[in-house]
């Protein structure tokens, strides 16, 4: 019975969200043709093949990915036993689809992967830790480091840099160790490591087409 209800709710959700994605979500709606995310060769007028592939990918895989993300955020409890591969499978599927279009700039592909998996991590297993840290902030804020207070108070940046990812990881690690479920620590480490990899910070990836973030998008944290 439970699963039937869930299915029903989810069908409703798909309908509302698909229409929502199409009509109101400004950022999502424009993502597939945001020109600075695509390689120049795919923007030429006479050959729409690449652009069509991008559009399809954005629509189908993007919707599936969004759907998965929503189910994680609704039932984060389930993710407590997952490893990073399981947690971010939808991000990888989206990445593969985008890569196959051969139209996205490399650093954009990886940056998107980072954003998606960081988001899944935060709405999934990390959500319990964030909750805990917020409670501590209310009851005894002096226990938390300044950077953790900032993390809890400020919105995440639009674009991450190697420095901001490192700073946040180093900042939160001791707090996670002290206050959160000990099972979170291994996936926290894996996640941090994969972030540094995706953003080309550990030297394994080199992006020929990398574009420096502009000052307005560089985060403080
Ligand atoms: C993650 O879990 C899945 C399913 O239990 C398993 O098949 C996979 O090998 C695991 N991956 C890693 C990197 O441990
Ligand atoms: C943390 O913030 C408080 C108050 O803003 C300040 O007095 C203190 O020096 C800061 N500590 C560190 C280590 O920056
Ligand atoms: C960004 O800020 C730094 C330091 O404030 C400055 O040196 C640099 O010129 C700025 N870059 C741009 C593109 O505005």
């Amino acid at each position: 019975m439970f699963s039937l209800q869930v299915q029903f709710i989810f069908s409703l959700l798909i309908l509302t969200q698909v229409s929502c994605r199409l009509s109101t979500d400004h950022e999502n709606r424009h993502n597939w043709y945001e020109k600075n995310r695509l390689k120049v060769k795919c923007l030429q007028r006479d050959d729409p093949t690449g652009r069509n592939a991008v559009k399809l990918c954005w629509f189908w895989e993007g919707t599936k990915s969004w759907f998965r993300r929503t189910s994680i955020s609704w039932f984060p409890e389930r993710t407590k036993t997952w490893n990073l591969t399981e947690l971010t499978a939808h991000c990888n599927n989206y990445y593969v689809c985008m890569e196959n279009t051969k139209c996205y700039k490399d650093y954009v592909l990886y940056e998107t992967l980072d954003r998606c998996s960081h988001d899944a991590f935060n709405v999934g297993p990390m959500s319990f830790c964030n909750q805990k840290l917020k409670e501590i902030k209310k009851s005894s804020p002096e226990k938390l480091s300044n950077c953790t207070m900032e993390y809890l108070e400020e919105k995440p940046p639009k674009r991450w840099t190697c420095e901001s990812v490192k700073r946040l990881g180093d900042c939160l690690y001791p707090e996670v160790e002290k206050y959160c479920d000990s099972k979170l620590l291994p996936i926290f480490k894996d996640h941090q490591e994969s972030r540094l990899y995706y953003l080309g910070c550990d030297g394994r990836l080199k992006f020929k087409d990398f574009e420096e973030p502009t000052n307005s998008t560089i985060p403080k944290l």
Side-chain angles (χ1 to χ4, degrees):
M1 200 53 214
F2 175 70
S3 81
L4 260 182
Q5 279 173 357
V6 169
Q7 274 177 14
F8 176 65
I9 292 172
F10 270 48
S11 321
L12 275 184
L13 201 80
I14 293 185
L15 287 176
T16 47
Q17 283 310 320
V18 166
S19 52
C20 201
R21 265 171 61 91
L22 289 177
S23 56
T24 57
D25 192 333
H26 191 265
E27 194 173 341
N28 274 342
R29 187 153 60 107
H30 292 283
N31 262 355
W32 65 267
Y33 70 76
E34 226 179 82
K35 289 195 174 111
N36 57 9
R37 295 163 64 82
L38 300 182
K39 289 180 179 166
V40 175
K41 70 172 166 84
C42 291
L43 293 172
Q44 277 150 12
R45 231 159 236 259
D46 45 354
D47 183 9
T49 320
R51 287 195 301 278
N52 287 339
V54 165
K55 191 158 48 164
L56 278 177
C57 197
W58 172 82
F59 189 80
W60 292 114
E61 283 305 325
T63 301
K64 275 201 276 181
S65 171
W66 177 89
F67 185 53
R68 173 76 168 175
R69 188 259 184 213
T70 305
S71 95
I72 289 174
S73 74
W74 281 19
F75 308 103
E77 198 71 35
R78 294 181 313 160
T79 65
K80 281 184 169 176
T81 57
W82 292 1
N83 61 33
L84 194 61
T85 317
E86 293 167 292
L87 184 66
T88 60
H90 61 295
C91 306
N92 284 312
N93 293 342
Y94 190 48
Y95 165 87
V96 169
C97 187
M98 281 167 69
E99 208 208 352
N100 285 339
T101 67
K102 307 257 182 279
C103 273
Y104 282 97
K105 293 176 183 172
D106 289 338
Y107 87 91
V108 170
L109 282 176
Y110 280 96
E111 199 176 64
T112 306
L113 192 50
D114 174 63
R115 201 177 304 155
C116 175
S117 61
H118 187 52
D119 179 59
F121 179 69
N122 275 308
V123 297
M126 186 68 188
S127 63
F128 301 98
C129 188
N130 284 332
Q131 197 53 45
K132 188 80 206 278
L133 294 176
K134 277 181 201 153
E135 281 161 23
I136 297 172
K137 180 178 170 239
K138 267 201 201 125
S139 58
S140 35
E142 72 285 353
K143 283 188 182 166
L144 298 175
S145 61
N146 286 359
C147 61
T148 304
M149 295 293 278
E150 269 177 44
Y151 162 73
L152 294 173
E153 277 159 14
E154 285 174 18
K155 280 192 194 162
K158 285 214 175 85
R159 255 192 96 177
W160 291 92
T161 62
C162 292
E163 289 70 32
S164 61
V165 168
K166 264 184 215 140
R167 223 174 304 145
L168 182 62
D170 292 346
C171 166
L172 292 181
Y173 185 86
E175 312 284 32
V176 171
E177 208 173 17
K178 237 185 281 173
Y179 303 117
C180 304
D181 189 338
S182 63
K183 286 199 205 95
L184 181 64
L185 210 54
I187 195 172
F188 181 90
K189 281 193 215 163
D190 288 349
H191 172 57
Q192 178 71 6
E193 222 172 83
S194 73
R195 294 203 75 189
L196 295 173
Y197 168 66
Y198 294 152
L199 295 178
C201 311
D202 66 4
R204 281 186 284 166
L205 287 175
K206 299 227 188 315
F207 304 117
K208 274 182 257 160
D209 53 13
F210 184 74
E211 284 159 21
E212 289 290 338
T214 53
N215 273 3
S216 64
T217 56
I218 290 179
K220 260 199 295 175
L221 193 72

